[in-house]
Amino acid sequence: MPSENPNVPSALRPIPASSEGVRLAAWRNNFDRVTQLSDHHTLSMYVERGFDTWHKTPAGWKNGGAPDRFCLLPADSESTWDVRGEFSFVHLYCTDAHLRHLAEQIWDRHPATISLDMQVFQQDSRITQLYRHFLLGCDWRNNANHLTLSSASTLLLTHLLQHYSEINWRLPDVRGGLAPSVLRNIFAYIEAHLASPLTLADLAQQACLSEFHFARMFKQSTRLAPHQFVMQQRMMKAEQLVRYTLLPLTEIALQCGFHSSSHFSNRFKSVYGIAPSALRR
């Protein structure tokens, strides 16, 4: 359920998802009346509560909010909401230009316009899975998670194009992996930028491919999704630095793309079964 009231505090700060055309934000709201008219598309999913959220329709006020229900508001559509109880939700914002660019990359066609279908209080297991597993399952503030977030946002937008727009093109088949020389260049780029907040767009650009095609070809080559492979490389580098250098753990965390020692320590322990400080001892 959307809200852009600047007085409503965000539960998690907005971050770039994959490009300047996409943003993610988490919000909480309670007892508010909101009218939205924005120049971007908004996909929102209820995270907690929301049972007493009402949408103004020509036939009167209707409610239907609940955890895992979603709302899709196309750009330039106006909607009014009456919030009569507390709830939290997550927004994915996307410009029309970015959505058209994504469609062009995936299908190699050039739609003049893309019309999304407004959806209110609906359910979609794929949207729920992507939100719950990827967007709500990691710390948005951590640079090491930006690749996961950008990958999930691309999957969400691709799903919207397939199921909630006038585009009814089948997804293209992607057969074969990346050429060995391209894969070597990608590996070298990842190794050189482990301290940076890598995104799917960054890696796809190195291969001169769309995000859609790159992600699928990379997985065919490595048997891992890009975000899984990059996290694996971060952890391998971290283990080597912990074992064989005297660098402070805070410095190791930064070199491996983690914004805090605590997040680095938790991730390290989940992979190796021991905290980095204990391994060093």
Side-chain angles (χ1 to χ4, degrees):
M1 148 59 199
S3 169
E4 296 187 22
N5 185 339
N7 296 319
V8 178
S10 60
L12 299 169
R13 69 184 178 91
I15 66 163
S18 61
S19 78
E20 290 302 314
V22 181
R23 289 289 183 273
L24 289 164
W27 297 86
R28 295 186 183 276
N29 206 341
N30 191 11
F31 301 107
D32 195 11
R33 177 70 65 88
V34 179
T35 296
Q36 178 181 19
L37 176 60
S38 63
D39 58 358
H40 51 256
H41 307 297
T42 304
L43 175 66
S44 306
M45 192 190 80
Y46 288 81
V47 178
E48 296 176 346
R49 298 177 297 276
F51 302 103
D52 208 11
T53 304
W54 297 75
H55 174 230
K56 189 176 183 180
T57 73
W61 292 94
K62 304 291 183 180
N63 82 327
D68 296 336
R69 299 282 175 90
F70 78 92
C71 298
L72 173 60
L73 300 183
D76 300 323
S77 61
E78 183 173 329
S79 58
T80 300
W81 309 82
D82 191 17
V83 183
R84 305 175 189 176
E86 184 179 358
F87 72 102
S88 62
F89 52 103
V90 176
H91 287 327
L92 174 70
Y93 302 115
C94 174
T95 65
D96 191 68
H98 180 83
L99 196 63
R100 282 188 285 107
H101 179 65
L102 180 64
E104 291 170 6
Q105 285 189 320
I106 293 173
W107 286 282
D108 195 23
R109 302 187 191 182
H110 305 280
T113 61
I114 293 179
S115 298
L116 294 178
D117 304 322
M118 179 180 281
Q119 305 289 326
V120 177
F121 303 139
Q122 298 300 314
Q123 291 180 290
D124 185 312
S125 60
R126 180 59 171 162
I127 291 175
T128 298
Q129 177 196 36
L130 290 171
Y131 265 114
R132 291 284 179 187
H133 183 70
F134 291 102
L135 303 187
L136 301 177
C138 59
D139 183 352
W140 295 13
R141 298 165 296 178
N142 200 305
N143 290 348
N145 290 327
H146 280 204
L147 183 55
T148 300
L149 295 168
S150 66
S151 299
S153 69
T154 297
L155 290 172
L156 276 167
L157 294 175
T158 302
H159 185 75
L160 295 185
L161 285 169
Q162 282 188 279
H163 298 281
Y164 300 102
S165 77
E166 80 282 9
I167 293 177
N168 55 7
W169 307 328
R170 291 183 56 187
L171 284 176
D173 291 330
V174 178
R175 299 179 182 178
L178 298 169
S181 60
V182 174
L183 200 58
R184 286 195 298 271
N185 290 339
I186 294 297
F187 290 164
Y189 182 85
I190 290 171
E191 176 64 26
H193 293 84
L194 285 179
S196 304
L198 291 168
T199 68
L200 189 60
D202 295 332
L203 301 183
Q205 186 176 18
Q206 300 305 309
C208 299
L209 292 169
S210 71
E211 296 173 34
F212 173 85
H213 288 85
F214 171 78
R216 281 153 180 77
M217 294 172 73
F218 185 91
K219 188 168 185 178
Q220 290 196 30
S221 295
T222 65
R223 300 186 182 276
L224 293 172
H227 71 275
Q228 294 172 322
F229 179 85
V230 170
M231 185 58 72
Q232 180 187 78
Q233 298 305 301
R234 295 187 199 277
M235 290 291 95
M236 289 172 60
K237 180 177 180 178
E239 184 199 16
Q240 294 297 305
L241 293 176
V242 170
R243 284 184 183 275
Y244 303 116
T245 76
L246 297 177
L247 285 173
L249 294 181
T250 52
E251 177 62 26
I252 294 175
L254 292 173
Q255 286 195 24
C256 296
F258 296 90
H259 83 292
S260 74
S261 297
S262 60
H263 186 267
F264 165 64
S265 180
N266 291 336
R267 173 68 71 167
F268 193 96
K269 188 173 182 179
S270 71
V271 173
Y272 294 109
I274 186 173
S277 56
L279 177 63
R280 173 161 283 181
R281 287 195 299 267

